[in-house]
Amino acid sequence: MFTKQMQDDDKEILSIAKTIDASGGSLYQKFIFFISSKIIFFGFRYPKLKLQIFKFIDVLPSLEPKKIYRYFKIYLFDEDTEIPVFLKSSIHFLIHILFLDLIVSFLILKIVKIFAKLFILTDSPRNLKTTNVTTRPRTYDILGELALSPKEAKEYLKQYSELIKILPEVHPEINSKLRTNISIKCSGIETRLYPEAEEKSIQYLKEALRPILRSAMNKGIGINLDMEQYDLKSIITQTAKDLFLEPEFQFYQHFGIVVQSYLKTSKDELVLWKEYTKRRGTPITIRLVKGAYLEYERIKAEERGWTSPVFDTKRETDIKFEENVLFLLESYPYLRSAFGTHNLRSLSFILYHTTKKSISDFEIQMLYGMAGKYKASLDSMGIGLREYSPIGALLPGMAYLIRRLLENTSNQGFLYQMSLGKNLDSLMSNPKEESLNGI
Amino acid sequence: MEFKNETIRDFSIEKERNAIRSALNSIEKSLPFEIPISIGRTEKFSANRFVQKNPWSPELVVSRVSYSNVHDLEETIQISKMNWGPWKERPQQERSTLLMKVAERLVSKKDFIISVCIWETGKQITEAEIEFAEAVDFCRYYATIANDQLSPKNINLLGEDNLYYYQPKGIVSSISPWNFPMAIFTGMCAAPLVVGNIVLAKPAEETSATAFEITKCFWEAGIPKEVLHFLPGLGSEIGEAMVTHPEVAVVNFTGSRDVGLSILKAASLVSPKQRMIKKVICELGGKNAMIVDADADLDVAIQSIIPSAFGFQGQKCSALSRLYVHNDCYNKLKERLIASLDGLLIGSPLDFANRIGPVIHEESYLRLLRLQKENEKFLTGITSLYPKEGFYVAPSLYEPPEDSEMWNSEFFGPILAMQKISTFAEGIQLANNSDYALTCGVISRNPKHILEAKLKIDVGNLYINRGITGAIVHRQPFGGGKLSGTGAKAGGPDYLHLFVEGKTFTENTMRQGFSRDTLQ
């Protein structure tokens, strides 16, 4: 049942959404927004083709450049997709008789690299120019292959310390929203993380993290521990709790952690974090996200015969996200909020409630290369916005690229719904409402 | 009946970890386990005992196992013959229900059984957990299959009734190995029992305590002691007697190739009082290969190679021992593999962070050290840090020449050989170039190559873009051909057929031109 109050809230949220959607950035950004929604629409109309393209992009980094076309043919022309057979065979025929294999291979590589470049800030910390650093508050993340040995983990650690060295010192009085921040993927810097040996894993991870935290703290840089698959959640969470309480770190205000709203336990986590910060006496930042390993969690749960730890529907996740937003805001100043979302309804919901509660110390976080139009709108509205900015070689960063592409082309995604030409009102509906719009 | 795989515990839950840890720690004070011989309702100990030392602290004796002998066997056979009738005549559903109860009984004693197994074998905790689940799966799966698939089939005409049904074969000797003392032992007893056979269980000497705990679960669930006997002892003594005894109908063996082949030979000789042709089921070794293609995802490759080659110290018949890697990614993979090898935590399984434990016993340990020494000049990577007390053999990677023994003999240890290939087809050819045909792996993202692998690689279990061990009951029926065995697929729909014989009844029901059906 909907109360009058909730309906009024929803009306307000809709009007904020309209403002964000309308004012949207430069002509260029609007153009990009339009183009990406068309591409997404295309991707969704041809799901088999989309799957093949993603599989192809996944294998691309392992291919010798001259073999690229050969694989392109196998993945896109030989497999069953929505491309008509005559088209597939005639394109192949043309390329073949004109000896274009090499040129096409090169072109494909070029195109994928351009795509990757859209989502990856730069290929190495060394290339971070100071000018680049100051344009927008960022949280930096280092991409790469999985760390599968202590040696590889050490290389990651080295890149993080290099990054910290390169980044300029942060003025102590700076507004939290503008403070430079680094996101750390724990499984990248410590490979010995095993759920069955949680206590030891925590000990290893703490040892790996301490030097990073220390040097970041010395320069006034914020540190955020990313959350990964469910298997590691308990280890990462407990490590953070232990570390942030150590005397050396206890009073540093710029540590953060992630809570994933797609987890059925997300609300309980927040409650625990609030109790924890009361004990710690210094606030921490919680980045509330919807979650990034949805398919993975479902597959793993099925394989093991476990109940899936994540919600089954996007709607339930959205409902939980809004509940969590409210809880986080109510937990201020113990918990400082950072909201990771590109969803217009979620954004508007957040803005409405922060205004209502007169909380200004919060941030919106978006991924580098996504939702440029919204970012511009939020900028013009004076809302703090931080970009999650990956750094790493383009090709090994492919797993990240694929995650972004998947996210962008998800049929549940907001952008896709927009691209279908659905009107804003229906897209903005409260997820709690039994909606006929299917999102 | 519906089959569902037993779930693996979620170790990120503290309560789960604590439960298994306290069970594991409690074992030491009850050592050594004294393992009896159990013949029908009598239990006895022999003067001569086999001693199994703890693999990580060899000064500790884990179990003292009574040797059973020919006389014990004779006694067992007499009891079995008297008790077979009522057991085989019980309705299938009853026997299946009993097996389901065995599964429950096992589950209720899970932490203890896993702990005994770890103390006897040095198996790592998650590996033990997975193995235990497999044991439970075997009981439930065979119970379900027997109930659903082995019911009699009628083909009735107007004047003729035909009935096709399955009859158990009789006395089955189940001779099982030490590397999967929970799963394989349970499976080898459960399958013949559920369809109405008598089982003489001979566990491996090294893991008799684990096997005895499991056998008790069978009895406690209601399987009569007269149809499941427990005869521990030496393979060369009681094992051999169980193969050659004229009343034994089926020899169900899992173990080494040499023993398997000698069993096949011995069982083919018909002794004077023997009135049947013995059936032999052999699941033997493997010399398993993996092919890493030029386009492989190396993250996936390494995550598949390490546990397949070194999980349970390489002491699995499905373990990876031959690695064929495409030129294009050879050096990169090798470098990452060596780095990864060096990061492996080796040590006692009591510390759950350790990935690799000790090998089973001194004999194995010395044999593997000798092998490592002999092939030292081909060594490319080895885990350098490991405890010096206990039977620890460092996981090692070699690049032997083509004519080396490393490509042919089964080592049963954490030893992996790798070689460069220039085409995927060459990889297939090399993978097939083996006496064995158990498991094989392919890491590739070329759909054409994957298809080629499926068509051409001659193995029982082919795994694509994942590790090559850890087959799960019902999902991946397990077993191979060539010299890897007689082609049984444990945990698959056909396995039970090995323990039954088809029988046909045909009855003419016509009398003087009328029959039951025409008269109506």
Side-chain angles (χ1 to χ4, degrees):
Chain A
M1 269 301 114
F2 277 88
T3 61
K4 175 84 174 53
Q5 178 59 44
M6 278 174 87
Q7 281 173 12
D8 289 346
D9 289 351
D10 282 338
K11 251 183 233 156
E12 283 294 319
I13 290 168
L14 177 62
S15 88
I16 296 173
K18 282 185 172 153
T19 321
I20 300 176
D21 190 51
S23 64
S26 65
L27 259 178
Y28 170 73
Q29 267 153 344
K30 281 180 185 156
F31 175 71
I32 292 288
F33 192 80
F34 173 77
I35 292 291
S36 33
S37 79
K38 284 296 155 206
I39 293 174
I40 289 155
F41 180 60
F42 179 84
F44 191 66
R45 270 195 60 191
Y46 304 102
K48 288 189 208 160
L49 181 61
K50 179 175 113 178
L51 175 70
Q52 288 307 115
I53 290 177
F54 284 5
K55 281 183 170 177
F56 171 71
I57 294 177
D58 169 61
V59 71
L60 190 66
S62 306
L63 300 180
E64 271 187 74
K66 63 176 196 291
K67 284 189 186 162
I68 290 176
Y69 175 67
R70 196 187 302 170
Y71 273 78
F72 185 79
K73 177 179 177 287
I74 294 174
Y75 276 81
L76 284 123
F77 293 166
D78 296 353
E79 296 281 315
D80 174 38
T81 64
E82 293 86 352
I83 315 174
V85 176
F86 74 92
L87 202 57
K88 293 198 277 200
S89 40
S90 39
I91 296 175
H92 174 62
F93 180 72
L94 272 179
I95 293 176
H96 196 68
I97 58 157
L98 297 175
F99 300 104
L100 294 175
D101 293 32
L102 277 180
I103 297 172
V104 173
S105 295
F106 176 75
L107 268 178
I108 292 170
L109 185 62
K110 193 86 197 151
I111 291 169
V112 175
K113 279 188 173 169
I114 289 172
F115 252 100
K117 195 93 190 74
L118 288 180
F119 299 103
I120 298 172
L121 184 65
T122 174
D123 60 350
S124 155
R126 265 158 279 162
N127 298 344
L128 272 183
K129 296 203 186 68
T130 16
T131 48
N132 201 347
V133 172
T134 47
T135 46
R136 197 187 264 295
R138 299 190 183 284
T139 181
Y140 297 99
D141 163 58
I142 294 193
L143 287 180
E145 289 158 299
L146 274 180
L148 293 171
S149 61
K151 187 179 149 211
E152 289 173 13
K154 260 190 215 123
E155 273 156 29
Y156 276 101
L157 260 179
K158 217 175 85 194
Q159 292 191 54
Y160 277 116
S161 44
E162 197 179 342
L163 176 65
I164 293 173
K165 217 175 279 166
I166 287 167
L167 291 172
E169 195 160 333
V170 182
H171 190 271
E173 298 300 310
I174 198 171
N175 183 339
S176 298
K177 288 186 239 181
L178 302 176
R179 184 177 297 271
T180 312
N181 189 302
I182 296 178
S183 285
I184 290 171
K185 197 169 149 228
C186 295
S187 68
I189 60 167
E190 178 51 66
T191 49
R192 299 166 298 177
L193 305 180
Y194 310 112
E196 67 273 21
E198 185 169 310
E199 297 76 7
K200 265 228 168 143
S201 304
I202 290 172
Q203 185 193 325
Y204 291 138
L205 185 55
K206 281 199 273 193
E207 280 162 25
L209 278 169
R210 271 191 209 104
I212 301 187
L213 298 194
R214 216 168 276 146
S215 48
M217 208 165 78
N218 287 337
K219 288 187 102 171
I221 293 169
I223 291 285
N224 189 80
L225 300 185
D226 274 357
M227 203 49 85
E228 303 172 50
Q229 70 268 32
Y230 189 66
D231 279 350
L232 296 180
K233 186 182 67 95
S234 181
I235 294 175
I236 297 174
T237 307
Q238 197 51 48
T239 303
K241 285 185 176 167
D242 290 358
L243 268 183
F244 299 165
L245 263 184
E246 288 180 1
E248 149 181 39
F249 302 120
Q250 190 181 352
F251 302 104
Y252 193 59
Q253 308 222 354
H254 313 294
F255 288 132
I257 187 106
V258 176
V259 170
Q260 297 159 315
S261 267
Y262 70 172
L263 291 178
K264 292 169 184 164
T265 55
S266 57
K267 178 68 179 291
D268 301 339
E269 303 265 312
L270 286 177
V271 173
L272 290 174
W273 275 114
K274 186 175 178 179
E275 284 165 21
Y276 168 85
T277 34
K278 282 184 185 167
R279 234 179 324 131
R280 182 178 183 239
T282 315
I284 63 159
T285 304
I286 300 276
R287 181 199 296 155
L288 187 69
V289 298
K290 283 182 186 161
Y293 296 81
L294 188 71
E295 287 289 304
Y296 176 88
E297 300 303 353
R298 286 200 188 130
I299 292 167
K300 283 290 154 198
E302 193 199 333
E303 197 180 290
R304 296 162 179 171
W306 293 356
T307 328
S308 166
V310 302
F311 289 114
D312 290 329
T313 63
K314 165 119 171 72
R315 196 174 142 244
E316 286 170 287
T317 309
D318 283 343
I319 292 173
K320 186 58 81 181
F321 185 81
E322 295 194 354
E323 270 176 45
N324 288 340
V325 167
L326 293 180
F327 181 85
L328 255 181
L329 292 177
E330 277 150 24
S331 308
Y332 187 82
Y334 300 106
L335 300 177
R336 207 184 145 257
S337 320
F339 301 105
T341 178
H342 304 99
N343 178 299
L344 192 51
R345 156 90 198 179
S346 305
L347 285 173
S348 316
F349 182 88
I350 292 160
L351 296 186
Y352 172 66
H353 286 282
T354 45
T355 316
K356 206 168 145 191
K357 294 186 198 315
S358 323
I359 294 176
S360 60
D361 185 17
F362 73 97
E363 42 181 76
I364 304 287
Q365 297 194 0
M366 287 186 184
L367 296 165
Y368 178 77
M370 277 177 68
K373 185 176 120 165
Y374 292 166
K375 286 176 188 163
S377 305
L378 292 173
D379 281 345
S380 63
M381 291 163 79
I383 308 291
L385 187 115
R386 184 186 295 282
E387 263 180 342
Y388 186 93
S389 311
I391 299 174
L394 298 184
L395 289 178
M398 210 48 83
Y400 178 82
L401 173 64
I402 289 180
R403 275 212 298 279
R404 293 292 77 81
L405 291 174
L406 276 171
E407 193 170 320
N408 267 317
T409 56
S410 147
N411 61 347
Q412 306 251 315
F414 189 80
L415 283 175
Y416 171 66
Q417 299 292 336
M418 291 281 277
S419 75
L420 286 181
K422 287 206 173 153
N423 73 25
L424 206 55
D425 298 47
S426 70
L427 290 172
M428 282 295 110
S429 61
N430 189 324
K432 284 184 182 159
E433 195 179 335
E434 286 295 345
S435 140
L436 296 174
N437 298 317
I439 62 159
Chain B
M1 286 183 173
E2 204 204 334
F3 174 74
K4 217 174 145 263
N5 287 104
E6 171 72 3
T7 53
I8 307 297
R9 91 177 85 201
D10 180 355
F11 281 107
S12 70
I13 298 167
E14 198 178 358
K15 205 176 81 200
E16 298 276 13
R17 289 198 300 275
N18 290 344
I20 181 71
R21 186 178 297 284
S22 63
L24 199 52
N25 292 343
S26 73
I27 296 289
E28 193 169 352
K29 61 178 183 289
S30 42
L31 298 183
F33 295 110
E34 296 287 346
I35 307 305
I37 302 162
S38 172
I39 301 167
R41 306 231 153 240
T42 48
E43 230 171 55
K44 57 181 175 188
F45 294 90
S46 63
N48 276 342
R49 314 259 170 111
F50 175 88
V51 171
Q52 170 67 2
K53 293 173 185 162
N54 174 253
W56 65 88
S57 300
E59 72 283 359
L60 284 173
V61 170
V62 182
S63 43
R64 287 163 38 85
V65 185
S66 284
Y67 285 139
S68 47
N69 58 31
V70 188
H71 302 292
D72 299 322
L73 178 65
E74 200 50 53
E75 214 179 308
T76 314
I77 300 276
Q78 295 318 318
I79 296 171
S80 300
K81 280 166 73 179
M82 277 189 295
N83 288 280
W84 188 31
W87 178 241
K88 75 171 169 180
E89 279 151 27
R90 280 216 211 174
Q92 182 56 55
Q93 199 168 2
E94 260 181 45
R95 282 196 307 263
S96 287
T97 309
L98 274 179
L99 247 280
M100 287 297 203
K101 283 191 188 145
V102 174
E104 290 323 305
R105 192 71 205 160
L106 284 170
V107 170
S108 73
K109 290 162 87 174
K110 173 174 175 173
D111 288 341
F112 179 66
I113 295 174
I114 286 183
S115 301
V116 174
C117 171
I118 289 176
W119 276 84
E120 273 191 324
T121 60
K123 191 170 276 215
Q124 195 256 351
I125 177 71
T126 47
E127 300 241 8
E129 171 80 19
I130 290 167
E131 193 202 330
F132 180 85
E134 192 183 358
V136 176
D137 280 350
F138 276 133
C139 294
R140 294 195 181 128
Y141 180 74
Y142 293 141
T144 311
I145 292 282
N147 205 40
D148 298 351
Q149 291 182 13
L150 293 187
S151 51
K153 289 152 184 71
N154 288 299
I155 296 181
N156 293 342
L157 308 177
L158 281 179
E160 180 182 274
D161 284 1
N162 292 297
L163 174 71
Y164 183 66
Y165 80 106
Y166 299 97
Q167 164 105 338
K169 288 183 75 81
I171 298 176
V172 178
S173 297
S174 287
I175 305 172
S176 53
W178 51 260
N179 62 342
F180 288 91
M182 299 186 281
I184 297 183
F185 177 83
T186 306
M188 287 174 73
C189 294
L193 278 173
V194 75
V195 290
N197 294 283
I198 302 282
V199 170
L200 319 182
K202 192 205 99 57
E205 299 91 296
E206 294 86 346
T207 52
S208 296
T210 308
F212 188 57
E213 287 309 320
I214 287 171
T215 311
K216 282 198 271 184
C217 291
F218 275 80
W219 295 330
E220 285 157 7
I223 304 278
K225 285 189 150 188
E226 292 82 359
V227 305
L228 171 62
H229 311 274
F230 186 74
L231 296 172
L234 290 176
S236 54
E237 195 179 344
I238 184 68
E240 198 180 321
M242 283 167 73
V243 171
T244 50
H245 195 284
E247 300 275 356
V248 168
V250 181
V251 180
N252 187 12
F253 174 77
T254 303
S256 76
R257 166 176 159 178
D258 292 347
V259 176
L261 296 179
S262 72
I263 286 178
L264 276 158
K265 204 164 155 190
S268 68
L269 300 173
V270 178
S271 58
K273 277 181 273 171
Q274 186 175 330
R275 289 192 166 143
M276 68 197 53
I277 297 170
K278 281 184 204 290
K279 177 165 192 167
V280 181
I281 303 158
C282 276
E283 291 195 61
L284 311 175
K287 186 72 192 172
N288 311 298
M290 184 183 281
I291 308 171
V292 181
D293 203 356
D295 59 15
D297 182 331
L298 296 190
D299 290 349
V300 172
I302 292 165
Q303 287 175 308
S304 309
I305 293 166
I306 296 282
S308 300
F310 309 122
F312 192 32
Q313 296 71 269
Q315 303 172 118
K316 299 178 183 178
C317 45
S318 56
L320 170 66
S321 61
R322 301 182 290 145
L323 184 61
Y324 299 113
V325 184
H326 198 282
N327 247 330
D328 290 3
C329 58
Y330 190 87
N331 290 331
K332 180 86 195 291
L333 180 75
K334 186 171 119 185
E335 184 195 319
R336 294 189 70 191
L337 209 50
I338 293 170
S340 185
L341 208 55
D342 208 36
L344 280 179
L345 299 176
I346 306 185
S348 141
L350 294 183
D351 179 346
F352 294 169
N354 287 331
R355 300 292 99 185
I356 310 289
V359 298
I360 187 78
H361 47 35
E362 192 164 17
E363 189 195 326
S364 242
Y365 169 72
L366 295 173
R367 184 177 50 83
L368 289 164
L369 288 191
R370 201 189 63 233
L371 277 165
Q372 287 191 325
K373 188 95 193 131
E374 279 168 14
N375 293 287
E376 213 169 12
K377 53 184 177 296
F378 315 126
L379 184 73
T380 9
I382 188 160
T383 314
S384 50
L385 271 180
Y386 59 94
K388 298 293 177 260
E389 305 292 308
F391 306 132
Y392 294 100
V393 176
S396 47
L397 179 69
Y398 299 81
E399 288 177 297
E402 264 174 63
D403 57 352
S404 163
E405 262 306 282
M406 294 198 101
W407 299 111
N408 305 313
S409 324
E410 200 189 358
F411 290 159
F412 235 58
I415 292 176
L416 176 64
M418 78 187 288
Q419 183 182 322
K420 212 179 269 185
I421 51 171
S422 44
T423 61
F424 188 74
E426 187 190 348
I428 293 186
Q429 188 223 324
L430 287 166
N432 281 340
N433 182 20
S434 169
D435 295 348
Y436 298 102
L438 195 52
T439 68
C440 183
V442 166
I443 310 288
S444 172
R445 284 181 286 194
N446 184 332
K448 291 205 156 71
H449 287 174
I450 291 173
L451 183 65
E452 200 183 336
K454 286 177 185 164
L455 293 172
K456 292 187 181 159
I457 295 181
D458 186 15
V459 285
N461 290 55
L462 177 66
Y463 296 98
I464 296 149
N465 289 324
R466 50 155 280 170
I468 65 168
T469 60
I472 295 174
V473 172
H474 179 55
R475 288 190 214 166
Q476 294 117 14
F478 180 79
K482 286 163 87 174
L483 290 178
S484 287
T486 52
K489 278 289 196 185
D494 308 322
Y495 192 69
L496 291 182
H497 289 273
L498 299 167
F499 304 99
V500 291
E501 246 160 42
K503 294 231 169 183
T504 307
F505 289 156
T506 299
E507 185 181 356
N508 176 8
T509 57
M510 189 176 78
R511 302 246 174 138
Q512 308 295 348
F514 72 93
S515 77
R516 180 188 61 216
D517 302 311
T518 49
L519 210 59
Q520 287 163 0

